[in-house]
Amino acid sequence: RGILDKLVSGWQLSGITTLQKGTPLQIGVQANQVQAFSGSRPDIRPGASANLPSDQRSIQRWFDTSVFSQPAPFRFGNAPRALPDARDPGLQNFDLSLLKRTSITERVDFHLRFEFFNAFNRANFGTPGTGLGTPQFGVISSTGPARMVQLAAKLAF
């Protein structure tokens, strides 16, 4: 019931984990050659897959860009609207919160909260460039936010 009890008791740990599989990529072309509002899709080599094995994938080449080509003028390409086998990197995020509640008197409490967003500082990569004919085609050039730490104190009476 002394100062040691005030330091040791009243701790609470909580967290939120987010694990998301990547969404299928939608490949388009830079030059709209069909003059349609929805744009055009590229051609994909018949029987080819844009998916790369994980050991060949990097942020400079997330999917196989060599299987795509510009369609002939005034023709939609044969690539599907969304690629079933090539996906963006997805998301793995862990947020943690540590709360210390200390009773000062019978009617007064002190709360101290530490919050860690992206607690393990994991690089969550953005979506690769999906416009055929652009320099960023197949390249990931963004990440989600780095770790953020927040401290809050509250006196409740």
Side-chain angles (χ1 to χ4, degrees):
R1 284 261 171 239
I3 292 179
L4 184 61
D5 180 54
K6 300 267 188 221
L7 292 174
V8 174
S9 65
W11 289 97
Q12 178 182 355
L13 177 67
S14 59
I16 298 172
T17 300
T18 306
L19 303 172
Q20 294 177 345
K21 187 176 184 180
T23 57
L25 296 175
Q26 296 181 3
I27 307 296
V29 293
Q30 181 181 16
N32 182 358
Q33 297 189 36
V34 293
Q35 305 306 316
F37 289 113
S38 62
S40 180
R41 297 184 201 137
D43 279 331
I44 188 168
R45 197 169 49 233
S49 171
N51 192 28
L52 286 174
S54 59
D55 62 334
Q56 294 178 14
R57 201 177 298 148
S58 71
I59 61 171
Q60 295 300 319
R61 187 171 181 246
W62 189 255
F63 58 88
D64 189 359
T65 58
S66 67
V67 301
F68 298 101
S69 61
Q70 182 75 33
F74 305 106
R75 189 178 74 73
F76 283 102
N78 64 359
R81 183 180 64 81
L83 300 174
D85 54 350
R87 296 176 171 267
D88 67 24
L91 175 70
Q92 293 181 10
N93 191 55
F94 303 92
D95 297 334
L96 297 174
S97 173
L98 185 62
L99 172 68
K100 169 71 169 115
R101 181 177 172 210
T102 305
S103 237
I104 296 175
T105 67
E106 187 176 311
R107 295 178 43 188
V108 179
D109 285 344
F110 179 70
H111 298 204
L112 186 61
R113 178 183 296 270
F114 301 92
E115 295 173 321
F116 304 90
F117 302 99
N118 191 6
F120 303 118
N121 205 24
R122 185 178 192 293
N124 286 301
F125 295 112
T127 301
T130 56
L132 177 67
T134 64
Q136 295 298 315
F137 187 52
V139 176
I140 295 177
S141 58
S142 66
T143 61
R147 177 189 309 127
M148 293 189 308
V149 179
Q150 183 171 292
L151 172 66
K154 176 170 75 170
L155 190 62
F157 53 93

